[in-house]
Every structure is written in structure tokens, then in C-alpha cells.
Amino acid sequence: MTYAVTISGSPSAASRSARLLRFVESELTASGIEVRRIDIRALSPAALLAADTSHDDLRYALAQVAGAQAVVVATPVYKAAYSGLLKAFLDVLPQDGLADKLIAPFATGGSPAHLLALDYALKPVLSALGAQHILRGVFAVDQQVPKEEGATLDAAIAERLEASVDQLSQWLHEREVIRQWPARVAQGHRAVRATLAA
């Protein structure tokens, strides 16, 4: 089954990065893509810090990432780096845990000075985990992402997120067609054989 997994690296449920993630999830769902969410803050802290992959929470989250065709990562930026919570989760992924997946990184921060955290802090780690297809990241400053539910995202940020969703959707739909291709070819061969035998 083709699906995208979204990963929230924020320690808070009401964070701006989580708001970006909800916007993206809504857009993906509207385009017919199944979305599964991992809130790292909801995982067992003891299992996460001990890298105890036998724990049910962690084992299930890792399985969700392993089975996904696309991974969306959203994190707040603290001190020019992605969140420690996200780092703890990325540390327990297998060395090639993001191979053959399309990755979309998003981040929020207090000022444009944190913009480079995506390119110089997060993307190298994603690449080290086997990611070869990483979309251009979207970074938003706090003023562009109001926390209040129902409040509108900054138009420029919404447009960039929608462009990322379009790329993700197209990739996933193409992957699904490719995945189903052998079955369709076999079905066609069976139909031809049945016609010849009749």
C-alpha cells in the first residue's frame, strides 16, 4: 500500500511546525494520498532515549517509516539546529532507513537567521540515512505561521507547501502505478490467453 508518513519533531502539540504538518496532511489527503502521522513526543521517552527498538511504541513507528514511500519531517529550529526530539528519533532509524523514499523537510524558527538549519543541519542527516530524493525544504518564521486554529498561513508559505504537496502526490501516484504494473500486465496476459482458448 502506498502512503506518506509525517513526522512531528516538536515537543509541543500546539507548535508552529505541527501546524505546518497539519496543513500538508490535509492537502495530501485531499489529493487522495493516505497519511500516517508519527508524533515523536507521544513515543515512550525511555525507549527513545535508550534506543529500545523492541518497545511497542518505537517498533510501530519504525515500521511506519519503513513501509512509507514518502516521509514528511517537520521540526522547530532551536539554536540553529533541528529539535533534540527529532534527533533522538532519527538516531534509531536504520542506516538506510530513508532509502528509496521521497523526503520533504519543513521547519519553523524565530528568525530568518535559522533558515540554513534545513540545508546544513537536517538535510545531511537525512542523506546519511539513505535519502537520495529530498525536496527543497520550506522554512517559515513564526510570524508566517499563527498557532491559532483556523488562522490563515502566510500566503507565500502556503504556496510553497502546496508546491511540495504537488510533488509528493505526483511521486506517490507514479509509484503506485509502477507498483501495480506487473499485476496489470499479468491480468492482460491472462485475458489474451482466455480469448485465444475460447
Side-chain angles (χ1 to χ4, degrees):
M1 176 181 289
T2 299
Y3 66 90
V5 68
T6 60
I7 301 174
S8 174
S10 175
S12 168
S15 71
R16 289 178 170 86
S17 60
R19 177 88 198 285
L20 287 186
L21 209 53
R22 286 194 299 275
F23 180 89
V24 169
E25 288 167 343
S26 175
E27 294 288 313
L28 283 170
T29 301
S31 69
I33 302 298
E34 180 182 344
V35 178
R36 303 180 186 182
R37 160 81 77 98
I38 297 172
D39 282 306
I40 302 173
R41 63 182 172 74
L43 301 177
S44 163
L48 195 58
L49 292 176
D52 179 7
T53 56
S54 66
H55 190 281
D56 287 346
D57 277 3
L58 213 44
R59 190 171 69 246
Y60 179 75
L62 293 174
Q64 293 300 304
V65 173
Q69 288 69 47
V71 177
V72 180
V73 179
T75 179
V77 173
Y78 303 122
K79 298 179 181 176
Y82 55 92
S83 74
L85 198 60
L86 179 57
K87 175 172 174 32
F89 184 71
L90 294 177
D91 282 349
V92 298
L93 285 176
Q95 188 65 39
D96 61 349
L98 299 179
D100 200 31
K101 303 179 193 301
L102 182 63
I103 313 298
F106 305 129
T108 57
S111 81
H114 295 304
L115 171 64
L116 296 178
L118 278 175
D119 290 330
Y120 292 100
L122 184 54
K123 283 186 178 181
V125 174
L126 299 175
S127 295
L129 290 167
Q132 297 173 316
H133 312 287
I134 304 175
L135 294 180
R136 185 176 178 185
V138 176
F139 177 84
V141 294
D142 290 351
Q143 300 92 307
Q144 295 174 307
V145 188
K147 279 187 178 180
E148 302 77 23
E149 283 300 326
T152 307
L153 291 179
D154 175 83
I157 291 299
E159 185 176 332
R160 291 178 63 200
L161 291 173
E162 286 166 357
S164 292
V165 168
D166 286 345
Q167 289 179 284
L168 283 164
S169 299
Q170 182 177 348
W171 165 281
L172 291 171
H173 286 306
E174 288 173 357
R175 290 289 297 268
E176 183 62 15
V177 168
I178 291 167
R179 187 184 71 80
Q180 292 179 3
W181 185 257
R184 289 181 179 177
V185 170
Q187 184 179 16
H189 287 164
R190 284 193 298 272
V192 169
R193 284 196 298 269
T195 301
L196 293 174

